[in-house]
Amino acid sequence: MTRNKINDILRSDQTNYDVIVKGWVRSFRNNQFIALNDGSCMGNIQIVIDLNSNESIIRKITTGAALSIAGQVVASQGKGQKVEVKAKEVTILGECDAEKFPLQLKNRPSLEYLREIAHLRFRTNTFGAVFRVRHSLAFAVHKFFNDLGFIYLHTPIVTASDAEGAGETFRVTTLPFENTPRKEDGTIDFNEDFFGRSTNLTVSGQLEAELGAMALSEVYTFGPTFRAENSNTARHLAEFWMIEPEVAFNDLEANMDLAENFIRYIVQYALDHNKEDLEFLAQRLVEEEKQKPQQERSEMGLIEKLEFVCSNKFERITYTEAIEILLQSPAYKKKKFQYEVKWGIDMQSEHERYLVEKHFRKPVIVTDYPKDIKAFYMRQNDDGQTVAAMDILAPGIGEIVGGSQREERLDRLEQRMNEMNISTEELYWYLDTRRFGTAPHAGFGLGFERMVLFVTGMTNIRDVIPFPRTPKNAEF
Ligand code: 4AD
Ligand code: MG
């Protein structure tokens, strides 16, 4: 007989049939009732064992132990569940020393503590819910693009370029630290390195995705991305996952429409498929917010917020308008912003959050940023000052998407690269697309973990990726 998933048993009204369930003990009371969880859903199944069971087995039924149970699904006599399993045979697959098991705690363990035991935190309700939702969102990403006819392009993880030009790359090398081969002028001789050149982990698959789009028209990437920015915030990871669609013949407007539809689609997918998990997470958030002062609590519940996003258009404003709103804001006038506000600044998180949380109270797409704070590849606007960029700002998160129409004109692109000291020789392959049949195109990058944060209502990005990599932290 094959294993029955607890989710299937709990969702069915059927009774009086034999099953085999396997999972981990969440609790055991009165030497008779086991709450068993196998991760297929939030809920535990109640297993009722015979009071006359073998005592040596009963002793091994402790929180955390792995069990296999053969039994019959019956209508439950007790409150709280429709069905339960009357055990015929209990097999201990793996014992768990209750004294040493870190999740034995009666009180709900803090998220900080659970981060220290990230290898075990999957066994909690919160992380079960988060990672089931994360899975659904990932699946929805592929479904959305597949249904639209996009090609999933696997861009490289090891590259020789720094797509964003921010110099925040992790080096990839097999050169020794001692007696590192050097050229006559004393600089490191990368000819001796594995790839015969200096290489790093990718900060974005965009440049390669653009090459694909110039033949396949509609592509997307979805892969790990690495940034060595030393920002120890609740929004930054050194290793995160990014989704980057790139579409030939799209302009900025079409790019915004795609991003908006995409976000709505994946949020709706989670609402449709993860109701139980989201309800649990919504309740968790309510509890968490009780700790905060009244004015910092969110006005909407988690599910309400997600439904709101699915049914309302995002606000669209230019960067220039955004700065104007900030300058006119009571927060600015009362000197509440820590960072300076004037045209040309790279908006700080406090500014972005003011726009979405206080001013518009919905996601906002900001377009046409000053060219000096954006990457070289963005299409230059006719005003000579701004580029056809778009960032999507989400309540509680800040920037969740960054994208643009791309500079498809070879002369303009080369001129901008020269101004920004980016080698046109090294990126000859990128420029070739502009030499051979260039076409308008646009794309964006969605930070997957920031999206998972938004949908789950979790507040720290370390809690929505199974094994977070942040400065000074790469355990597990
Ligand atoms: O705005 P970014 O840097 O844009 C790009 O990389 C473009 N090449 C995307 C494109 O147009 N194809 O990053 C895109 C998104 C951000 O909006 C943010 O959501 C996320 O990636 N992101 C991070 N997420 C977690 N940790 C970090 N350190 C992140 N850096 C960026
Ligand atoms: Mg950005």
Side-chain angles (χ1 to χ4, degrees):
M1 228 175 110
T2 53
R3 176 172 79 92
N4 299 76
K5 291 207 178 193
I6 291 172
N7 189 32
D8 296 336
I9 300 173
L10 291 179
R11 268 193 307 170
S12 158
D13 289 328
Q14 220 187 317
T15 50
N16 302 321
Y17 62 103
D18 286 341
V19 289
I20 291 180
V21 290
K22 298 183 186 185
W24 293 266
V25 176
R26 283 292 173 82
S27 69
F28 184 38
R29 44 183 189 93
N30 302 347
N31 275 354
Q32 196 184 6
F33 302 105
I34 305 169
L36 198 75
N37 189 283
D38 69 359
S40 60
C41 59
M42 169 72 56
N44 306 321
I45 193 144
Q46 172 154 290
I47 314 281
V48 186
I49 61 167
D50 188 342
L51 282 174
N52 300 318
S53 299
N54 182 328
E55 220 181 282
S56 76
I57 290 203
I58 291 203
R59 235 183 309 115
K60 290 177 185 163
I61 303 176
T62 56
T63 301
L67 309 184
S68 171
I69 282 137
Q72 193 181 33
V73 177
V74 296
S76 177
Q77 308 294 317
K79 283 184 294 193
Q81 64 272 328
K82 277 190 299 192
V83 295
E84 61 194 19
V85 172
K86 199 163 170 299
K88 292 179 184 158
E89 197 184 330
V90 177
T91 313
I92 310 286
L93 299 175
E95 293 176 37
C96 179
D97 184 341
E99 298 287 295
K100 296 196 182 130
F101 186 47
L103 291 173
Q104 181 69 317
L105 308 165
K106 280 277 175 286
N107 296 328
R108 181 178 280 194
S110 71
L111 294 172
E112 288 76 16
Y113 172 67
L114 289 171
R115 245 168 256 149
E116 290 169 19
I117 52 162
H119 56 304
L120 294 172
R121 64 180 179 170
F122 301 103
R123 302 240 198 132
T124 62
N125 284 338
T126 299
F127 287 93
V130 165
F131 292 117
R132 277 187 299 270
V133 172
R134 183 181 165 113
H135 161 78
S136 276
L137 290 170
F139 184 79
V141 165
H142 288 298
K143 184 155 166 51
F144 175 81
F145 287 117
N146 183 65
D147 289 355
L148 285 177
F150 279 61
I151 304 292
Y152 179 25
L153 198 73
H154 297 91
T155 51
I157 289 171
V158 176
T159 80
S161 59
D162 175 6
E164 294 303 302
E168 292 165 336
T169 59
F170 288 100
R171 198 181 276 293
V172 173
T173 182
T174 53
L175 289 180
F177 285 121
E178 274 153 41
N179 301 321
T180 315
R182 291 190 184 267
K183 293 193 281 203
E184 269 170 21
D185 63 2
T187 59
I188 291 174
D189 185 3
F190 286 104
N191 288 316
E192 299 284 314
D193 205 348
F194 188 90
F195 295 106
R197 61 189 306 159
S198 161
T199 50
N200 52 268
L201 295 176
T202 186
V203 296
S204 158
Q206 178 196 324
L207 302 190
E208 292 89 350
E210 283 189 53
L211 312 186
M214 287 296 105
L216 302 164
S217 295
E218 288 159 323
V219 302
Y220 71 105
T221 71
F222 184 3
T225 310
F226 306 86
R227 294 198 185 170
E229 42 189 337
N230 203 356
S231 12
N232 235 324
T233 78
R235 307 268 174 274
H236 288 87
L237 289 164
E239 176 180 290
F240 64 99
W241 287 64
M242 184 157 51
I243 297 125
E244 297 182 273
E246 194 65 39
V247 185
F249 320 119
N250 263 7
D251 59 10
L252 189 64
E253 189 81 12
N255 201 34
M256 287 191 274
D257 292 342
L258 178 69
E260 216 179 306
N261 290 338
F262 171 52
I263 289 176
R264 272 208 212 95
Y265 179 91
I266 62 176
V267 171
Q268 188 64 52
Y269 189 90
L271 281 170
D272 292 344
H273 293 82
N274 295 77
K275 197 155 183 289
E276 189 190 35
D277 290 324
L278 291 175
E279 277 166 2
F280 173 86
L281 291 166
Q283 191 52 40
R284 200 203 68 84
L285 193 59
V286 169
E287 301 291 324
E288 191 181 272
E289 298 230 313
K290 281 187 191 153
Q291 320 292 323
K292 289 190 194 164
Q294 191 80 41
Q295 66 272 19
E296 283 177 33
R297 295 183 198 166
S298 41
E299 292 160 28
M300 280 189 218
L302 179 63
I303 303 218
E304 239 183 314
K305 177 189 84 176
L306 299 178
E307 282 169 349
F308 179 88
V309 165
C310 291
S311 52
N312 286 279
K313 287 232 114 222
F314 298 179
E315 195 67 39
R316 296 183 183 189
I317 56 167
T318 65
Y319 169 91
T320 304
E321 286 163 346
I323 295 294
E324 203 47 46
I325 290 169
L326 292 174
L327 288 173
Q328 299 301 329
S329 69
Y332 178 77
K333 290 180 179 156
K334 289 187 203 143
K335 299 194 168 26
K336 288 256 174 75
F337 293 130
Q338 191 188 340
Y339 293 91
E340 189 186 18
V341 180
K342 65 169 195 208
W343 200 93
I345 59 157
D346 200 357
M347 278 190 274
Q348 298 292 321
S349 161
E350 58 175 355
H351 306 135
E352 298 178 339
R353 295 184 68 164
Y354 178 84
L355 291 172
V356 284
E357 287 159 31
K358 296 274 182 325
H359 191 82
F360 289 110
R361 293 163 193 264
K362 55 155 110 164
V364 178
I365 312 185
V366 182
T367 61
D368 304 292
Y369 282 78
K371 64 178 184 193
D372 291 336
I373 57 170
K374 289 293 185 189
F376 72 94
Y377 51 71
M378 295 192 180
R379 194 174 198 279
Q380 296 167 60
N381 288 331
D382 292 340
D383 63 12
Q385 301 296 314
T386 61
V387 284
M390 57 152 227
D391 276 10
I392 303 186
L393 315 178
I397 310 284
E399 182 192 333
I400 193 161
V401 162
S404 74
Q405 188 172 336
R406 315 309 187 190
E407 183 55 83
E408 85 283 13
R409 299 162 296 188
L410 179 64
D411 54 338
R412 297 295 202 90
L413 184 55
E414 282 181 329
Q415 168 221 326
R416 190 70 191 133
M417 288 170 79
N418 290 332
E419 282 168 12
M420 294 175 78
N421 280 320
I422 294 168
S423 166
T424 51
E425 273 158 41
E426 269 178 37
L427 282 181
Y428 77 92
W429 48 271
Y430 182 70
L431 293 170
D432 267 359
T433 51
R434 276 65 172 172
R435 291 190 183 102
F436 307 125
T438 192
H441 60 290
F444 62 85
L446 170 77
F448 187 55
E449 284 74 21
R450 292 197 186 170
M451 191 68 216
V452 183
L453 269 183
F454 183 72
V455 174
T456 58
M458 300 295 284
T459 41
N460 193 313
I461 200 161
R462 294 166 180 80
D463 295 333
V464 297
I465 185 163
F467 301 103
R469 267 76 182 108
T470 50
K472 304 275 178 282
N473 170 33
E475 215 175 333
F476 315 116

